Amino acid sequence: MRGTLVFSGTSCPALTGKICENLGMAPAEADLSQFSNGETSVRILTSVRDKDVFVVQSGSPTINDTIMELLIMISACKGGSANKITAVLPYFPYSRQSKKKSHRGAITARMLANLLHVAGVKHVITVDLHASQMQGFFKCPVDNLHAEPLIARWIRLNISNWKEAVVVSKNAGGTKRVTSLADALKLNFGLVTTDRKRAHNMSASMIMNHLDGWDNPPAYLNGVRHSRGVSEDRDSDGNGSTRSSRVMTESQGSPRRTSAPPLRTNSLTRSPYARAFTPSQSQTSPIEELKDEDETTDTPVYNDERAQEVTQGRLVQGHVVADDFQSPAQSENGADGSQSCHGGDDDPMTMSHASSFFAPEPHALGGSGDAEASSDEDEEKLQDPKVEHMITLVGNVKDRPVLIVDDMIDKAGSWIAAAETVVKRGKAKKVYCMATHGVFGADCLEQLQACDCIDQIIVTNSFPIPDRRAKNASKLVILDLSYLLAEAIRRNHYGESISPLFQHIAD
């Protein structure tokens, strides 16, 4: 392309070479080095006057040096009278810090957008921002490309029974991304959630005070308010026998019923106060009238029995364990049965309702905690041996391949927990971990490779992965983004629409 120059940063020379190969040109020459004290030095070795300049730079293990190098390259091209400078960032650095998570926190992603603007950027091309609303941080146009069509094409070509697959989100924050892929492939989707650490100093009496009467609303008969018993549930046959429904605590202070109440249905039963407050035989109470109408109408009986697609499991140190597993937290509390954590027949809706009374979770300022939950920043809590979590799978994955999808893979904890849940609890056939950005911090890739519940790991080359690590991971599959980025550069240069890059191409 005439009048176009593509420069490569030190983070992704291989990706830039493939982009230039697709464009039919060679990367522009620049000298990138560092002084002995760590300062970055940049020299542009070709004329950029009145040229359309594209600088390709992604994340790297030395992310701060990479950002500084990008800013200096942009400033050098601006000083060389370049006509337009476009920053091509396959992985946008600091994208997880896109909101204020504490009173004295910083929105670092917005600060980086301001730095790019001051350096002289007129356009930004990136792939799968952690939060799409980050585009509002910039004072220039942003093309947020998606790797979803590329991943969907790989699924159709490499998974034989992909039409039976279930797309699963490993946390609540990634449901929008999962449903988008599921809609594109016309597949079912599921969700894996993990409860957070609850208070340790919650006693049974405190929980009972919060729970008393929440599922036994007062009855109104003939305009008179009558409160029902809150610690006992009468049998549905009305024989007067009672059974206790006490709420006890687990090892971490979570509520648990020792005896669940009988199933509630929409068929009305006679109140224990109906006989005492019936005025006469000639008059009929409102409850009796409703009961007569219900008996004469042939309508199906609905109940509030929880769906069979909800599967629960215990999570200890980031791994799914059996129901009778003795966790370290239980060992510290002794062998008291009321302090043990069982997954049994506890109603998750009741437990969730009870937890909301006494364990309010801090969240990001000005909004919900979805963006915070979608990151891997709090995975250290899963590894705490003193804290036991409950992991829940919503959706039917039995004898089906499962596609666990997120925008990036940084730490292995939540991925392994989700994979073990769908395999050990959900009885899934195969598990594919898919993400756009393979950051693979610390020994994340090695942990995923060693997990028996994970069959393949699919990422793109938006974030550079060392060849040595990639060769040692037989489960790793790297998809090439060079054609997508090259076509975005070409269309941007000629002023063409980039809408076709978001469409799924049928094979």
Side-chain angles (χ1 to χ4, degrees):
M1 297 186 301
R2 291 185 178 181
T4 303
L5 294 175
V6 179
F7 289 94
S8 173
T10 56
S11 65
C12 53
L15 177 59
T16 307
K18 292 181 180 179
I19 292 174
C20 293
E21 183 180 350
N22 291 328
L23 294 173
M25 58 187 300
E29 296 183 1
D31 181 20
L32 309 176
S33 61
Q34 284 188 339
F35 292 110
S36 58
N37 61 352
E39 295 180 359
T40 301
S41 173
V42 173
R43 285 195 307 144
I44 305 299
L45 303 180
T46 184
S47 175
V48 296
R49 183 176 296 275
D50 294 332
K51 298 292 181 66
D52 198 357
V53 175
F54 296 86
V55 182
V56 183
Q57 185 80 295
S58 188
S60 70
T62 56
I63 187 66
N64 295 322
D65 292 339
T66 299
I67 293 174
M68 202 64 204
E69 182 182 84
L70 171 65
L71 296 174
I72 296 176
M73 290 180 69
I74 293 172
S75 179
C77 292
K78 180 181 178 182
S81 301
N83 181 37
K84 179 183 177 182
I85 304 173
T86 301
V88 182
L89 304 170
Y91 170 77
F92 191 83
Y94 290 98
S95 61
R96 282 176 290 184
Q97 301 185 42
S98 60
K99 64 189 305 183
K100 200 172 183 180
K101 299 180 180 179
S102 63
H103 292 283
R104 288 172 292 277
I107 308 177
T108 316
R110 184 181 62 182
M111 183 187 68
L112 181 55
N114 294 335
L115 290 174
L116 290 172
H117 173 73
V118 172
V121 163
K122 300 299 182 182
H123 203 105
V124 173
I125 298 176
T126 186
V127 181
D128 281 335
L129 288 172
H130 188 63
S132 59
Q133 59 267 26
M134 286 173 53
Q135 299 177 64
F137 294 163
F138 295 86
K139 300 178 181 179
C140 63
V142 178
D143 293 333
N144 182 27
L145 305 177
H146 298 324
E148 179 184 293
L150 188 64
I151 295 176
R153 184 174 184 270
W154 185 92
I155 293 173
R156 291 193 299 266
L157 295 179
N158 295 274
I159 301 178
S160 57
N161 56 340
W162 65 270
K163 293 185 178 180
E164 302 176 0
V166 179
V167 189
V168 174
S169 174
K170 67 183 183 69
N171 52 47
T175 52
K176 185 176 180 180
R177 188 178 299 106
V178 164
T179 53
S180 176
L181 180 61
D183 291 341
L185 296 174
K186 294 180 174 58
L187 300 176
N188 294 329
F189 64 91
L191 173 66
V192 173
T193 60
T194 306
D195 73 338
R196 297 186 179 182
K197 179 179 177 181
R198 296 193 175 103
H200 293 274
N201 58 349
M202 184 60 61
S203 63
S205 59
M206 295 173 66
I207 298 175
M208 290 179 64
N209 290 336
H210 284 298
L211 291 180
D212 282 350
W214 76 269
D215 57 349
N216 292 275
Y220 290 88
L221 296 178
N222 298 331
V224 182
R225 183 178 184 271
H226 303 279
S227 60
R228 300 179 183 176
V230 296
S231 61
E232 296 180 350
D233 292 320
R234 294 186 177 271
D235 293 340
S236 59
D237 56 0
N239 56 6
S241 62
T242 61
R243 59 178 180 178
S244 177
S245 178
R246 304 287 293 176
V247 180
M248 304 298 292
T249 55
E250 300 173 353
S251 58
Q252 302 304 325
S254 301
R256 178 176 63 86
R257 283 188 180 273
T258 58
S259 177
L263 198 63
R264 299 189 300 271
T265 64
N266 70 336
S267 58
L268 298 177
T269 57
R270 184 183 297 272
S271 170
Y273 304 100
R275 180 177 300 177
F277 289 95
T278 300
S280 65
Q281 297 295 331
S282 60
Q283 297 180 356
T284 306
S285 65
I287 289 185
E288 293 290 339
E289 294 178 357
L290 290 175
K291 184 177 179 181
D292 295 337
E293 292 179 2
D294 190 51
E295 292 176 352
T296 57
T297 305
D298 296 333
T299 57
V301 178
Y302 299 96
N303 56 52
D304 61 353
E305 183 179 3
R306 64 183 181 184
Q308 298 298 325
E309 289 79 10
V310 178
T311 307
Q312 294 177 321
R314 296 173 57 198
L315 202 63
V316 178
Q317 290 185 275
H319 295 278
V320 177
V321 298
D323 292 338
D324 57 352
F325 178 80
Q326 188 75 10
S327 65
Q330 293 177 355
S331 301
E332 292 180 0
N333 293 329
D336 185 6
S338 63
Q339 296 292 330
S340 62
C341 180
H342 298 285
D345 298 328
D346 295 341
D347 187 359
M349 297 301 295
T350 305
M351 300 299 105
S352 175
H353 185 91
S355 302
S356 64
F357 279 108
F358 59 85
E361 283 292 341
H363 54 74
L365 298 180
S368 64
D370 292 347
E372 184 179 4
S374 62
S375 67
D376 294 332
E377 294 177 355
D378 54 356
E379 287 201 4
E380 288 79 5
K381 297 179 181 178
L382 298 180
Q383 307 298 330
D384 189 351
K386 297 182 180 180
V387 179
E388 181 174 327
H389 296 79
M390 182 181 71
I391 191 164
T392 304
L393 168 64
V394 181
N396 182 18
V397 299
K398 186 176 182 180
D399 297 330
R400 298 184 181 185
V402 172
L403 315 175
I404 304 178
V405 179
D406 207 350
D407 65 322
M408 72 176 68
I409 303 178
D410 187 5
K411 297 183 179 180
S414 59
W415 292 89
I416 294 177
E420 291 183 354
T421 301
V422 298
V423 172
K424 296 181 180 181
R425 292 291 181 175
K427 308 300 180 183
K429 186 180 297 184
K430 285 188 176 182
V431 175
Y432 301 86
C433 295
M434 300 181 171
T436 302
H437 311 295
V439 179
F440 297 124
D443 60 343
C444 170
L445 183 57
E446 289 72 21
Q447 292 184 37
L448 296 176
Q449 175 69 25
C451 181
D452 297 332
C453 297
I454 297 177
D455 294 276
Q456 279 189 301
I457 308 163
I458 298 91
V459 296
T460 68
N461 57 350
S462 62
F463 195 94
I465 303 174
D467 294 336
R468 178 183 55 82
R469 297 186 69 185
K471 291 179 180 178
N472 293 334
S474 59
K475 299 179 181 179
L476 181 64
V477 177
I478 301 178
L479 306 181
D480 188 17
L481 282 177
S482 61
Y483 175 78
L484 177 67
L485 295 173
E487 186 64 14
I489 290 174
R490 189 192 69 81
R491 290 175 178 269
N492 183 276
H493 174 68
Y494 288 112
E496 300 178 6
S497 173
I498 66 168
S499 296
L501 301 181
F502 297 93
Q503 298 176 0
H504 290 257
I505 302 176
D507 298 314

